[in-house]
Short mmCIF file of all heavy atoms in Angstrom, two decimals:
data_model
loop_
_atom_site.label_atom_id
_atom_site.label_comp_id
_atom_site.label_asym_id
_atom_site.label_seq_id
_atom_site.Cartn_x
_atom_site.Cartn_y
_atom_site.Cartn_z
N ALA A 43 -28.48 2.11 18.31
CA ALA A 43 -29.46 2.64 17.35
C ALA A 43 -30.89 2.50 17.85
O ALA A 43 -31.64 3.48 17.85
CB ALA A 43 -29.27 1.99 15.99
N PRO A 44 -31.32 1.32 18.32
CA PRO A 44 -32.71 1.22 18.79
C PRO A 44 -32.97 2.06 20.04
O PRO A 44 -34.05 2.62 20.19
CB PRO A 44 -32.92 -0.26 19.08
CG PRO A 44 -31.72 -0.98 18.64
CD PRO A 44 -30.67 0.02 18.28
N ALA A 45 -32.00 2.17 20.94
CA ALA A 45 -32.19 2.94 22.17
C ALA A 45 -32.38 4.42 21.85
O ALA A 45 -33.24 5.09 22.43
CB ALA A 45 -31.01 2.75 23.11
N VAL A 46 -31.57 4.94 20.93
CA VAL A 46 -31.68 6.35 20.56
C VAL A 46 -32.98 6.60 19.80
O VAL A 46 -33.72 7.55 20.08
CB VAL A 46 -30.45 6.80 19.74
CG1 VAL A 46 -30.63 8.19 19.19
CG2 VAL A 46 -29.19 6.71 20.60
N ALA A 47 -33.30 5.73 18.85
CA ALA A 47 -34.52 5.89 18.05
C ALA A 47 -35.77 5.83 18.92
O ALA A 47 -36.72 6.60 18.71
CB ALA A 47 -34.58 4.83 16.97
N ALA A 48 -35.79 4.96 19.91
CA ALA A 48 -36.96 4.81 20.79
C ALA A 48 -37.26 6.08 21.57
O ALA A 48 -38.40 6.31 21.98
CB ALA A 48 -36.74 3.64 21.75
N GLN A 49 -36.24 6.91 21.76
CA GLN A 49 -36.43 8.16 22.51
C GLN A 49 -36.65 9.37 21.60
O GLN A 49 -36.79 10.49 22.07
CB GLN A 49 -35.24 8.39 23.44
CG GLN A 49 -35.14 7.32 24.51
CD GLN A 49 -34.06 7.59 25.52
OE1 GLN A 49 -33.84 8.73 25.93
NE2 GLN A 49 -33.37 6.54 25.95
N GLY A 50 -36.67 9.12 20.29
CA GLY A 50 -36.93 10.20 19.35
C GLY A 50 -35.82 11.23 19.26
O GLY A 50 -36.05 12.37 18.86
N VAL A 51 -34.60 10.85 19.61
CA VAL A 51 -33.45 11.75 19.56
C VAL A 51 -32.71 11.50 18.24
O VAL A 51 -32.42 10.35 17.90
CB VAL A 51 -32.51 11.55 20.76
CG1 VAL A 51 -31.28 12.43 20.65
CG2 VAL A 51 -33.25 11.82 22.06
N ALA A 52 -32.39 12.56 17.52
CA ALA A 52 -31.73 12.43 16.22
C ALA A 52 -30.23 12.18 16.39
O ALA A 52 -29.58 12.81 17.23
CB ALA A 52 -31.94 13.69 15.39
N VAL A 53 -29.70 11.29 15.57
CA VAL A 53 -28.26 11.10 15.42
C VAL A 53 -27.79 12.18 14.45
O VAL A 53 -28.37 12.33 13.37
CB VAL A 53 -27.94 9.69 14.89
CG1 VAL A 53 -26.47 9.57 14.51
CG2 VAL A 53 -28.32 8.64 15.93
N ILE A 54 -26.76 12.94 14.83
CA ILE A 54 -26.35 14.10 14.01
C ILE A 54 -24.93 13.98 13.44
O ILE A 54 -24.39 14.96 12.94
CB ILE A 54 -26.49 15.41 14.81
CG1 ILE A 54 -25.63 15.40 16.07
CG2 ILE A 54 -27.96 15.67 15.14
CD1 ILE A 54 -25.54 16.75 16.77
N GLY A 55 -24.35 12.79 13.52
CA GLY A 55 -23.00 12.63 12.98
C GLY A 55 -22.62 11.16 12.92
O GLY A 55 -23.39 10.29 13.32
N PRO A 56 -21.42 10.89 12.43
CA PRO A 56 -20.98 9.51 12.26
C PRO A 56 -20.64 8.84 13.60
O PRO A 56 -20.37 9.50 14.60
CB PRO A 56 -19.72 9.64 11.40
CG PRO A 56 -19.20 11.00 11.71
CD PRO A 56 -20.42 11.86 11.98
N ALA A 57 -20.66 7.53 13.57
CA ALA A 57 -20.24 6.74 14.73
C ALA A 57 -18.80 7.09 15.10
O ALA A 57 -18.01 7.49 14.25
CB ALA A 57 -20.34 5.25 14.40
N PHE A 58 -18.48 6.94 16.39
CA PHE A 58 -17.12 7.23 16.85
C PHE A 58 -16.75 6.27 17.96
O PHE A 58 -17.59 5.62 18.57
CB PHE A 58 -17.00 8.68 17.35
CG PHE A 58 -17.74 8.93 18.63
CD1 PHE A 58 -17.11 8.74 19.85
CD2 PHE A 58 -19.06 9.33 18.62
CE1 PHE A 58 -17.80 8.95 21.05
CE2 PHE A 58 -19.75 9.54 19.80
CZ PHE A 58 -19.12 9.35 21.01
N ALA A 59 -15.46 6.20 18.21
CA ALA A 59 -14.90 5.52 19.38
C ALA A 59 -13.98 6.52 20.06
O ALA A 59 -13.16 7.15 19.41
CB ALA A 59 -14.13 4.27 18.98
N LEU A 60 -14.15 6.66 21.38
CA LEU A 60 -13.31 7.55 22.17
C LEU A 60 -12.55 6.69 23.17
O LEU A 60 -13.16 6.08 24.05
CB LEU A 60 -14.16 8.60 22.89
CG LEU A 60 -13.42 9.52 23.86
CD1 LEU A 60 -12.38 10.36 23.13
CD2 LEU A 60 -14.43 10.42 24.59
N TYR A 61 -11.24 6.61 23.01
CA TYR A 61 -10.39 5.81 23.89
C TYR A 61 -9.90 6.70 25.03
O TYR A 61 -9.42 7.79 24.80
CB TYR A 61 -9.20 5.24 23.12
CG TYR A 61 -9.59 4.14 22.16
CD1 TYR A 61 -10.15 4.44 20.93
CD2 TYR A 61 -9.42 2.81 22.51
CE1 TYR A 61 -10.52 3.43 20.05
CE2 TYR A 61 -9.78 1.80 21.63
CZ TYR A 61 -10.35 2.12 20.41
OH TYR A 61 -10.72 1.12 19.55
N HIS A 62 -10.02 6.20 26.25
CA HIS A 62 -9.54 6.91 27.44
C HIS A 62 -8.18 6.34 27.80
O HIS A 62 -8.08 5.40 28.58
CB HIS A 62 -10.53 6.76 28.60
CG HIS A 62 -11.89 7.29 28.26
ND1 HIS A 62 -12.17 8.64 28.24
CD2 HIS A 62 -13.03 6.66 27.90
CE1 HIS A 62 -13.44 8.81 27.90
NE2 HIS A 62 -13.97 7.63 27.68
N GLY A 63 -7.14 6.86 27.16
CA GLY A 63 -5.78 6.33 27.35
C GLY A 63 -5.43 5.38 26.21
O GLY A 63 -6.27 4.98 25.41
N ALA A 64 -4.16 5.07 26.15
CA ALA A 64 -3.66 4.17 25.11
C ALA A 64 -4.07 2.73 25.42
O ALA A 64 -3.93 2.28 26.55
CB ALA A 64 -2.14 4.25 25.02
N PRO A 65 -4.61 2.01 24.43
CA PRO A 65 -4.96 0.62 24.68
C PRO A 65 -3.72 -0.24 24.86
O PRO A 65 -2.68 0.01 24.26
CB PRO A 65 -5.74 0.21 23.43
CG PRO A 65 -5.47 1.24 22.41
CD PRO A 65 -4.95 2.46 23.09
N GLY A 66 -3.83 -1.23 25.71
CA GLY A 66 -2.79 -2.24 25.91
C GLY A 66 -3.45 -3.59 25.77
O GLY A 66 -4.06 -3.88 24.75
N ALA A 67 -3.39 -4.39 26.81
CA ALA A 67 -4.10 -5.67 26.80
C ALA A 67 -5.60 -5.43 26.84
O ALA A 67 -6.39 -6.24 26.36
CB ALA A 67 -3.67 -6.52 28.00
N VAL A 68 -5.99 -4.28 27.42
CA VAL A 68 -7.40 -3.87 27.44
C VAL A 68 -7.50 -2.44 26.94
O VAL A 68 -6.52 -1.70 26.93
CB VAL A 68 -8.03 -3.98 28.85
CG1 VAL A 68 -8.01 -5.41 29.35
CG2 VAL A 68 -7.36 -3.05 29.83
N ALA A 69 -8.71 -2.07 26.52
CA ALA A 69 -8.98 -0.70 26.10
C ALA A 69 -10.14 -0.16 26.93
O ALA A 69 -11.15 -0.83 27.12
CB ALA A 69 -9.36 -0.66 24.62
N ASP A 70 -9.96 1.05 27.46
CA ASP A 70 -11.00 1.77 28.17
C ASP A 70 -11.59 2.75 27.16
O ASP A 70 -10.90 3.67 26.72
CB ASP A 70 -10.39 2.50 29.37
CG ASP A 70 -11.40 3.30 30.17
OD1 ASP A 70 -12.60 3.30 29.83
OD2 ASP A 70 -10.97 3.94 31.15
N LEU A 71 -12.82 2.52 26.75
CA LEU A 71 -13.37 3.31 25.66
C LEU A 71 -14.87 3.47 25.76
O LEU A 71 -15.53 2.81 26.57
CB LEU A 71 -13.01 2.71 24.30
CG LEU A 71 -13.76 1.45 23.88
CD1 LEU A 71 -13.70 1.32 22.37
CD2 LEU A 71 -13.18 0.21 24.51
N GLU A 72 -15.38 4.36 24.94
CA GLU A 72 -16.81 4.49 24.73
C GLU A 72 -17.03 4.60 23.24
O GLU A 72 -16.21 5.18 22.52
CB GLU A 72 -17.40 5.68 25.48
CG GLU A 72 -16.77 7.01 25.19
CD GLU A 72 -17.24 8.10 26.14
OE1 GLU A 72 -16.79 8.10 27.30
OE2 GLU A 72 -18.06 8.94 25.71
N VAL A 73 -18.11 3.99 22.77
CA VAL A 73 -18.46 4.05 21.36
C VAL A 73 -19.88 4.59 21.26
O VAL A 73 -20.70 4.34 22.14
CB VAL A 73 -18.34 2.68 20.66
CG1 VAL A 73 -16.91 2.19 20.68
CG2 VAL A 73 -19.27 1.65 21.26
N GLY A 74 -20.14 5.35 20.22
CA GLY A 74 -21.48 5.90 20.11
C GLY A 74 -21.66 6.81 18.92
O GLY A 74 -20.91 6.74 17.95
N PHE A 75 -22.68 7.67 19.07
CA PHE A 75 -23.06 8.64 18.03
C PHE A 75 -23.25 10.01 18.67
O PHE A 75 -23.79 10.10 19.78
CB PHE A 75 -24.40 8.25 17.40
CG PHE A 75 -24.40 6.96 16.66
CD1 PHE A 75 -24.94 5.82 17.24
CD2 PHE A 75 -23.88 6.86 15.38
CE1 PHE A 75 -24.97 4.61 16.56
CE2 PHE A 75 -23.90 5.66 14.69
CZ PHE A 75 -24.45 4.53 15.29
N PRO A 76 -22.90 11.07 17.96
CA PRO A 76 -23.32 12.41 18.39
C PRO A 76 -24.84 12.52 18.21
O PRO A 76 -25.39 12.00 17.23
CB PRO A 76 -22.59 13.36 17.45
CG PRO A 76 -21.78 12.53 16.52
CD PRO A 76 -22.09 11.11 16.75
N THR A 77 -25.51 13.17 19.15
CA THR A 77 -26.96 13.26 19.11
C THR A 77 -27.42 14.71 19.28
O THR A 77 -26.69 15.55 19.80
CB THR A 77 -27.59 12.39 20.21
OG1 THR A 77 -27.06 12.78 21.48
CG2 THR A 77 -27.31 10.91 19.97
N ALA A 78 -28.67 14.96 18.89
CA ALA A 78 -29.24 16.30 18.97
C ALA A 78 -29.60 16.69 20.39
O ALA A 78 -29.91 17.85 20.64
CB ALA A 78 -30.47 16.39 18.07
N GLY A 79 -29.55 15.75 21.32
CA GLY A 79 -29.86 16.04 22.72
C GLY A 79 -29.51 14.85 23.58
O GLY A 79 -29.09 13.80 23.09
N SER A 80 -29.70 15.02 24.87
CA SER A 80 -29.40 13.94 25.82
C SER A 80 -30.45 12.83 25.72
O SER A 80 -31.60 13.09 25.37
CB SER A 80 -29.39 14.47 27.25
OG SER A 80 -28.35 15.40 27.42
N ILE A 81 -30.04 11.64 26.07
CA ILE A 81 -30.98 10.53 26.16
C ILE A 81 -31.04 10.06 27.61
O ILE A 81 -30.10 10.29 28.39
CB ILE A 81 -30.57 9.33 25.26
CG1 ILE A 81 -29.20 8.76 25.68
CG2 ILE A 81 -30.56 9.74 23.79
CD1 ILE A 81 -28.95 7.37 25.18
N ALA A 82 -32.12 9.42 27.97
CA ALA A 82 -32.22 8.78 29.27
C ALA A 82 -31.49 7.44 29.17
O ALA A 82 -31.52 6.78 28.12
CB ALA A 82 -33.68 8.55 29.63
N ALA A 83 -30.83 7.04 30.25
CA ALA A 83 -30.12 5.76 30.24
C ALA A 83 -31.08 4.63 29.89
O ALA A 83 -32.22 4.60 30.34
CB ALA A 83 -29.47 5.51 31.59
N ASP A 84 -30.60 3.72 29.06
CA ASP A 84 -31.38 2.55 28.64
C ASP A 84 -30.43 1.36 28.69
O ASP A 84 -29.69 1.10 27.74
CB ASP A 84 -31.93 2.78 27.23
CG ASP A 84 -32.78 1.62 26.72
OD1 ASP A 84 -32.88 0.59 27.41
OD2 ASP A 84 -33.36 1.76 25.63
N GLY A 85 -30.38 0.68 29.84
CA GLY A 85 -29.39 -0.37 30.03
C GLY A 85 -28.01 0.24 30.04
O GLY A 85 -27.75 1.20 30.77
N ASP A 86 -27.13 -0.26 29.18
CA ASP A 86 -25.77 0.28 29.14
C ASP A 86 -25.60 1.42 28.13
O ASP A 86 -24.51 1.94 27.95
CB ASP A 86 -24.74 -0.83 28.88
CG ASP A 86 -24.97 -1.61 27.60
OD1 ASP A 86 -26.00 -1.38 26.93
OD2 ASP A 86 -24.14 -2.46 27.27
N VAL A 87 -26.68 1.83 27.50
CA VAL A 87 -26.65 3.00 26.61
C VAL A 87 -26.94 4.23 27.46
O VAL A 87 -27.98 4.32 28.11
CB VAL A 87 -27.68 2.88 25.47
CG1 VAL A 87 -27.67 4.14 24.61
CG2 VAL A 87 -27.42 1.64 24.63
N VAL A 88 -25.97 5.16 27.49
CA VAL A 88 -26.08 6.35 28.34
C VAL A 88 -25.74 7.59 27.53
O VAL A 88 -25.14 7.52 26.46
CB VAL A 88 -25.15 6.25 29.58
CG1 VAL A 88 -25.54 5.07 30.46
CG2 VAL A 88 -23.69 6.15 29.17
N SER A 89 -26.12 8.74 28.09
CA SER A 89 -25.77 10.02 27.48
C SER A 89 -24.33 10.38 27.83
O SER A 89 -23.86 10.07 28.93
CB SER A 89 -26.73 11.10 27.99
OG SER A 89 -26.63 12.26 27.22
N GLY A 90 -23.65 11.01 26.91
CA GLY A 90 -22.27 11.44 27.14
C GLY A 90 -22.02 12.77 26.45
O GLY A 90 -22.95 13.38 25.90
N VAL A 91 -20.77 13.19 26.47
CA VAL A 91 -20.37 14.45 25.84
C VAL A 91 -18.99 14.28 25.24
O VAL A 91 -18.09 13.73 25.87
CB VAL A 91 -20.34 15.60 26.88
CG1 VAL A 91 -19.77 16.86 26.27
CG2 VAL A 91 -21.71 15.86 27.46
N LEU A 92 -18.84 14.78 24.03
CA LEU A 92 -17.51 14.97 23.46
C LEU A 92 -17.17 16.43 23.70
O LEU A 92 -17.91 17.32 23.25
CB LEU A 92 -17.49 14.67 21.96
CG LEU A 92 -17.59 13.21 21.55
CD1 LEU A 92 -17.69 13.10 20.03
CD2 LEU A 92 -16.41 12.43 22.06
#
Side-chain angles (χ1 to χ4, degrees):
V46 172
Q49 295 186 39
V51 176
V53 170
I54 60 170
F58 70 89
L60 175 62
Y61 289 80
H62 301 284
V68 298
D70 179 1
L71 74 158
E72 55 190 76
V73 297
F75 296 102
T77 56
S80 296
I81 62 161
D84 182 355
D86 57 355
V87 177
V88 298
S89 193
V91 173
L92 288 175

